[in-house]
Amino acid sequence: MLFDHELAWKDPAIYKEIYVNSIAAPEKFWEYHQNTLFPEGNYNASFNCLDRHAKITPHKNAIIWYGDEYCERREISYARLLEMTERIASELIRRGIRKGDSVTICMPMTPESIASMLACCRIGAIHNVVFSGFSANALNERIFRSASKIVLTVTAGSRGGKMIPSLHNVLAAIGDMDVDVLLVDHVDDFPMDDGALSVEHMKYDDPMFTLYTSGSTKEPKRIFHSCGGYQLYSAMTFKYVFDAKPEDIHFCTSDIGWITGHSYITYAPLFLGLTIVIFSGTPMHPDGGRYWQIIENERVSIFYSAPSAIRCLASLGEESVRNYDLSSLKVLGCVGEPMNEAAWKWLFTNVGKEKCPIMDTWWQTETGGIILAPLHNVKYQKPGFASMPFFGVAPGIENEELIIKNKNWPGLSSNFVRDDQIYHTGDKAMVDDDGDFKILGRIDDVVNICGHRLGTSEVESVVNALGEIEESAAIGVPHRIKGQALCIFATTTADLDQDQKESVAKEITTRIRQDIGAIAKPDKIVFIPELPKTRSGKIKRNILKIIGKKQNIDYDAADMQSIINISCIKEIEHAMTHAIKM
Ligand code: WT7
């Protein structure tokens, strides 16, 4: 059996051969990789990510941290990260935390937060990371439902020029719950345990962490991942999809509050011994050059981000990247939402200089790691396609929904039984004649006009291709005759006056007619200053649906907790009264 990932990456025929083998003989395939990746048979993530490297390359940087301002930068070697982790682990033990206990981590993107996750793993505690920008209310739910005995936090953080009072939020969230709080501002305050602290032995199926889904359409759900399957799948997908090697400098712009920040900021890259660049700021503070400056300074080779961030940066124009040296990049990636063609081309041309393949990776909190990605060379790239399955995974389409026909790949969350039932993803997708998959948005977001079912991303892709448009969201609103009609919300790259808005609206309609068909002609186009988004950057189309129907927003609804920019809702309601009727 052939397993050479380097070749798979460069030659579609070799990919195909390995893929077919992986589906035909899954046990053999996964066993081979399990033995290769875990030679010591130890499934403790802290051991795998730290001890193995600290022994051989203690001085190599594990983490390069950038703060909210340009001048804030720190380097943390593998030896130092191990020491930080041991100090926190000792303190957790001193506070009575043991194997199997649940620990909530509410911290900004710092080396301390990564050390905190690894410290939990070290003693076998189950971490439950929550985004540090959450309100006390959203935090309360997640601490309470995870039954955490302790919350790890910092006094305060700073993100996008705004102070985040983490400790204050955590205390407000805890109220009179019986939960301990540990401040991890200075790990050196925690004494080392003089070697008394041992690495907890973890079995393949022992639980490793829990995480709440982002809740873009449904209520956040608590997902469990276990040690062996999760590490095996995240490390393998990282190695194969991004062609990751120990000498790579990896920069993923997600946050540890999401699964991307678990799999592809923390566990997979450290498992494989890379240097990771982490950033606790936002791409636009103090200006739109943050990502590019970091890539230039650190000679980043793998850059993994999200479509919403790319669209935002693309709206600043090509000049905003031109003066940075991005020649170190070898592969780019995006995740979280459908990547529209315009943003894809911008990234491919201006950031990757037409040399770097773009890994449009499709996956979910539940899958632990990447399921679909264009696992082939740059010349076979198809903009807007997440393309093909990772080894061992058998996707298909059933009633327009992306399904996975097998459940025996190791990344799948332990919430699911590994039976022979189909895994339903909840996403609308299509597959072309080459067998390449294209994701068209959440099934719940599909718009049905006169019986024609349109994925939101099909429409948004056309709208976003216009130079004047920064980002858009298409939703269905009830229509007397058509069943549903299309309403488009759009943000623009520059301020437009009423005449300009009308002409852009006309242009949008013409393009949609040409590219999709007259059936998709929008009824209303609404220009707004900002789209409502989840904290992980997903557009909250369900809120737009309520506004589109002119219904009242229930600000107390559980669903509202996941919105980061609540204040834009009033502006959107106002803009709705000036909607351009087509
Ligand atoms: C949902 C999962 C997986 C890490 C971040 C999100 C959407 C994800 C893509 C992509 C189109 C995508 C899907 C999926 N999604 N990647 N490449 N193209 N849509 O994790 O919060 O669990 O969300 O994100 O709708 O179901 P999550």
Side-chain angles (χ1 to χ4, degrees):
M1 212 187 262
L2 186 61
F3 292 119
D4 192 340
H5 80 275
E6 285 184 34
L7 294 172
W9 213 74
K10 293 185 179 86
D11 186 340
I14 294 179
Y15 157 79
K16 186 93 194 165
E17 189 185 336
I18 303 180
Y19 180 74
V20 168
N21 284 338
S22 72
I23 296 291
E27 289 87 7
K28 213 168 156 192
F29 180 81
W30 293 117
E31 202 186 287
Y32 170 86
H33 287 287
Q34 193 174 325
N35 294 337
T36 318
L37 287 173
F38 301 89
E40 298 93 346
N42 193 338
Y43 297 102
N44 186 304
S46 170
F47 171 82
N48 288 318
C49 292
L50 298 175
D51 302 56
R52 288 195 307 169
H53 311 305
K55 208 162 131 191
I56 301 160
T57 52
H59 306 299
K60 177 175 181 171
N61 278 332
I63 303 178
I64 297 170
W65 170 81
Y66 276 86
D68 210 23
E69 304 302 329
Y70 273 107
C71 58
E72 297 173 296
R73 179 183 182 278
R74 284 162 66 194
E75 288 179 2
I76 308 287
S77 68
Y78 270 97
R80 171 66 179 154
L81 187 59
L82 173 59
E83 186 200 324
M84 291 167 71
T85 301
E86 285 182 310
R87 286 181 186 273
I88 301 168
S90 305
E91 185 62 22
L92 287 172
I93 292 285
R94 260 192 294 281
R95 297 202 179 207
I97 304 300
R98 295 290 179 271
K99 183 174 182 181
D101 287 343
S102 169
V103 174
T104 291
I105 297 176
C106 176
M107 293 170 71
M109 284 299 302
T110 57
E112 284 71 18
S113 64
I114 295 200
S116 297
M117 292 163 78
L118 292 162
C120 290
C121 295
R122 201 158 187 85
I123 63 170
I126 303 168
H127 64 64
N128 174 54
V129 181
V130 294
F131 181 60
S132 64
F134 271 136
S135 65
N137 210 2
L139 272 175
N140 171 283
E141 275 277 314
R142 289 165 171 82
I143 298 169
F144 179 71
R145 296 205 335 231
S146 66
S148 290
K149 291 192 169 166
I150 190 168
V151 180
L152 271 53
T153 190
V154 294
T155 309
S158 162
R159 193 166 182 273
K162 288 194 201 90
M163 204 272 281
I164 300 175
S166 309
L167 177 60
H168 177 269
N169 287 351
V170 165
L171 292 176
I174 288 176
D176 53 12
M177 277 194 277
D178 182 20
V179 178
D180 193 5
V181 175
L182 174 63
L183 276 178
V184 197
D185 289 313
H186 309 286
V187 294
D188 292 326
D189 293 350
F190 308 138
M192 279 291 261
D193 220 338
D194 296 333
L197 179 84
S198 60
V199 184
E200 193 71 42
H201 185 81
M202 301 305 279
K203 294 200 292 288
Y204 188 91
D205 284 324
D206 278 337
M208 180 167 153
F209 67 86
T210 66
L211 187 67
Y212 285 87
T213 57
S214 67
S216 51
T217 48
K218 293 192 198 75
E219 276 202 25
K221 183 174 157 203
R222 190 174 176 214
I223 298 297
F224 281 77
H225 280 287
S226 46
C227 294
Y230 172 79
Q231 287 176 76
L232 172 60
Y233 195 72
S234 58
M236 248 184 90
T237 46
F238 186 57
K239 186 166 157 173
Y240 279 56
V241 174
F242 293 101
D243 192 27
K245 307 213 167 68
E247 61 271 23
D248 277 311
I249 309 284
H250 173 61
F251 179 23
C252 170
T253 65
S254 184
D255 187 282
I256 48 157
W258 323 120
I259 189 72
T260 311
H262 284 58
S263 305
Y264 302 113
I265 289 180
T266 310
Y267 292 111
L270 296 180
F271 189 105
L272 297 175
L274 278 77
T275 296
I276 59 172
V277 178
I278 65 171
F279 175 40
S280 60
T282 60
M284 303 295 264
H285 176 82
D287 58 50
R290 292 309 302 267
Y291 287 175
W292 319 134
Q293 183 71 64
I294 290 173
I295 294 171
E296 175 179 302
N297 284 355
E298 305 307 332
R299 306 284 305 150
V300 168
S301 54
I302 308 175
F303 177 62
Y304 193 23
S305 193
S308 65
I310 302 303
R311 288 194 286 262
C312 179
L313 293 165
S315 76
L316 304 177
E318 182 262 322
E319 327 68 82
S320 64
V321 255
R322 194 191 295 147
N323 294 328
Y324 296 94
D325 175 5
L326 307 179
S327 59
S328 55
L329 290 169
K330 74 165 187 186
V331 53
L332 306 169
C334 60
V335 61
E337 283 200 296
M339 181 70 153
N340 55 295
E341 266 192 64
W344 192 100
K345 285 191 175 133
W346 191 87
L347 185 68
F348 186 70
T349 314
N350 300 308
V351 179
K353 317 288 180 200
E354 299 182 6
K355 289 195 313 269
C356 302
I358 297 179
M359 293 297 130
D360 180 347
T361 63
W362 180 92
W363 56 296
Q364 303 177 309
T365 307
E366 293 86 336
T367 70
I370 293 163
I371 295 289
L372 299 173
L375 272 152
H376 40 43
N377 194 287
V378 59
K379 58 180 181 277
Y380 303 105
Q381 294 260 298
K382 276 184 204 169
F385 279 74
S387 295
M388 55 242 267
F390 190 69
F391 306 123
V393 185
I397 307 273
E398 189 183 272
N399 301 325
E400 301 180 333
E401 183 186 3
L402 176 68
I403 53 157
I404 301 172
K405 292 178 273 187
N406 61 349
K407 284 191 189 153
N408 55 5
W409 33 280
L412 182 65
S413 149
S414 46
N415 291 44
F416 301 88
V417 186
R418 287 170 200 278
D419 53 19
D420 50 14
Q421 305 275 304
I422 279 167
Y423 175 81
H424 287 269
T425 69
D427 279 9
K428 181 179 156 131
M430 56 152 277
V431 59
D432 71 4
D433 293 342
D434 302 329
D436 284 321
F437 287 84
K438 184 177 173 66
I439 308 296
L440 300 167
R442 297 291 297 170
I443 289 278
D444 317 23
D445 291 333
V446 165
V447 186
N448 192 329
I449 306 166
C450 304
H452 296 267
R453 293 162 55 79
L454 288 172
T456 45
S457 79
E458 297 168 78
V459 180
E460 290 158 13
S461 234
V462 177
V463 179
N464 293 352
L466 264 75
E468 295 89 347
I469 302 298
E470 181 194 6
E471 245 188 327
S472 65
I475 57 149
V477 289
H479 189 277
R480 202 161 43 86
I481 299 157
K482 301 193 243 181
Q484 277 191 315
L486 203 58
C487 176
I488 294 170
F489 293 87
T491 61
T492 52
T493 50
D495 282 340
L496 304 181
D497 63 28
Q498 194 54 29
D499 284 350
Q500 289 167 320
K501 282 182 186 165
E502 306 236 346
S503 93
V504 174
K506 274 207 190 92
E507 184 61 23
I508 289 176
T509 309
T510 313
R511 293 279 178 93
I512 291 180
R513 227 183 241 283
Q514 275 167 10
D515 294 359
I516 306 176
I519 194 79
K521 178 183 117 30
D523 270 35
K524 278 182 190 156
I525 296 175
V526 193
F527 291 101
I528 57 173
E530 245 180 285
L531 285 162
K533 288 192 179 171
T534 64
R535 315 225 163 214
S536 55
K538 288 187 203 294
I539 300 171
K540 288 284 286 185
R541 294 188 183 76
N542 50 350
I543 299 302
L544 295 173
K545 281 184 212 165
I546 300 173
I547 299 176
K549 285 189 239 166
K550 303 220 169 77
Q551 289 170 343
N552 287 331
I553 300 272
D554 174 9
Y555 283 90
D556 294 328
D559 195 39
M560 296 296 282
Q561 284 180 9
S562 54
I563 305 181
I564 195 164
N565 51 352
I566 279 248
S567 61
C568 74
I569 289 174
K570 283 262 166 307
E571 297 168 332
I572 301 172
E573 284 176 323
H574 177 72
M576 193 67 207
T577 61
H578 301 281
I580 301 176
K581 294 200 181 61
M582 303 311 298

